[in-house]
Amino acid sequence: MDQNRSSGRGRIVLIGALGVAAAIAAVGIYGIVGQNGNGEAGLCSSSSALAATVDGLATGEVAALIINESPKPAPELTFVDDTGAERALSDWKGRAVLFNLWATWCAPCRYEMPALDNLQAEFGGDEFEVVAVNIDTGGDDKPRKFLAEVKVDDLAYYADHTTDVFRELKKAGRAFGLPTTLLIDRDGCEIAHMAGPAEWDSDDAKGVVRALIGGTQQ
């Protein structure tokens, strides 16, 4: 009887060890879903066709767009709106977004902001928004004065005076200076990014934005 019990316990230990080994192997092969592995890429697998479409349209004034061949969820960024309420980039899921970082001390931003304002005036609504976030560290007065000077009327005011958003994008390899722009589809997936300014109200840019709004139906 004792010998039988020992044999039984031995088989249980062996089966348990094999189960642990199989679990370790599975993690090694497939990664951990929800982190920077197959799970994250899978969330945006349907956005690859849109990325290819945008790639074909990224010419002329928007030729500097860097297309993400394997789109991933956009970084989870937080900032405040014109009432001081905290907002998250994920709040816009369901709409296409042109996300832009700017500052009053950024010389190219002075010329880019009116173009972004024109783009918002033409395309902004339930399907698309230009989300332009100011990262000046001294409060809202100077940025608001700046926007009035360059005659920006249609862009909503968003700000991050902590500059955490810039640091997060820099860590993700998306921000090396200002302005910085991300194109995000309706599923919250980053389709493309750009370092530096662009003529966002040009015909080239409008073609890209139309594709972004249309998504995979284009």
Side-chain angles (χ1 to χ4, degrees):
M1 290 292 291
D2 290 341
Q3 186 176 3
N4 290 338
R5 289 196 190 98
S6 297
S7 299
R9 283 196 297 268
R11 285 194 294 273
I12 292 169
V13 169
L14 178 59
I15 292 169
L18 290 173
V20 170
I24 292 171
V27 170
I29 293 170
Y30 296 107
I32 299 173
V33 175
Q35 295 187 8
N36 297 326
N38 295 346
E40 185 180 71
L43 293 173
C44 294
S45 58
S46 62
S47 299
S48 296
L50 174 57
T53 298
V54 171
D55 192 20
L57 295 170
T59 60
E61 298 294 342
V62 288
L65 270 173
I66 299 172
I67 310 301
N68 300 337
E69 294 182 3
S70 299
K72 293 183 179 180
E76 186 53 61
L77 307 173
T78 57
F79 40 92
V80 297
D81 63 19
D82 60 350
T83 69
E86 185 172 290
R87 301 296 301 274
L89 186 52
S90 57
D91 294 344
W92 279 264
K93 192 168 184 180
R95 279 192 283 177
V97 171
L98 186 155
F99 182 83
N100 179 271
L101 290 187
W102 67 280
T104 59
W105 43 263
C106 162
C109 297
R110 180 169 289 273
Y111 301 98
E112 185 178 60
M113 294 303 290
L116 289 172
D117 192 56
N118 291 337
L119 189 69
Q120 174 66 19
E122 183 169 350
F123 292 97
D126 293 338
E127 297 185 330
F128 172 80
E129 184 175 349
V130 176
V131 179
V133 178
N134 173 263
I135 62 167
D136 280 52
T137 58
D140 294 325
D141 291 344
K142 190 174 180 180
R144 289 181 183 278
K145 182 180 178 182
F146 174 97
L147 293 176
E149 287 174 357
V150 298
K151 297 181 172 27
V152 166
D153 301 312
D154 287 280
L155 291 177
Y157 181 76
Y158 302 104
D160 172 35
H161 301 311
T162 69
T163 70
D164 284 346
V165 169
F166 180 82
R167 285 194 288 271
E168 285 296 317
L169 288 181
K170 185 175 181 180
K171 190 181 351 178
R174 294 294 182 262
F176 304 98
L178 292 181
T180 289
T181 301
L182 305 181
L183 296 183
I184 301 163
D185 71 7
R186 295 173 182 270
D187 294 326
C189 298
E190 183 191 325
I191 298 299
H193 63 280
M194 181 185 291
E199 294 288 344
W200 288 109
D201 56 354
S202 66
D203 289 340
D204 297 319
K206 289 176 184 178
V208 166
V209 169
R210 287 189 185 98
L212 193 68
I213 293 171
T216 55
Q217 296 176 355
Q218 288 292 317

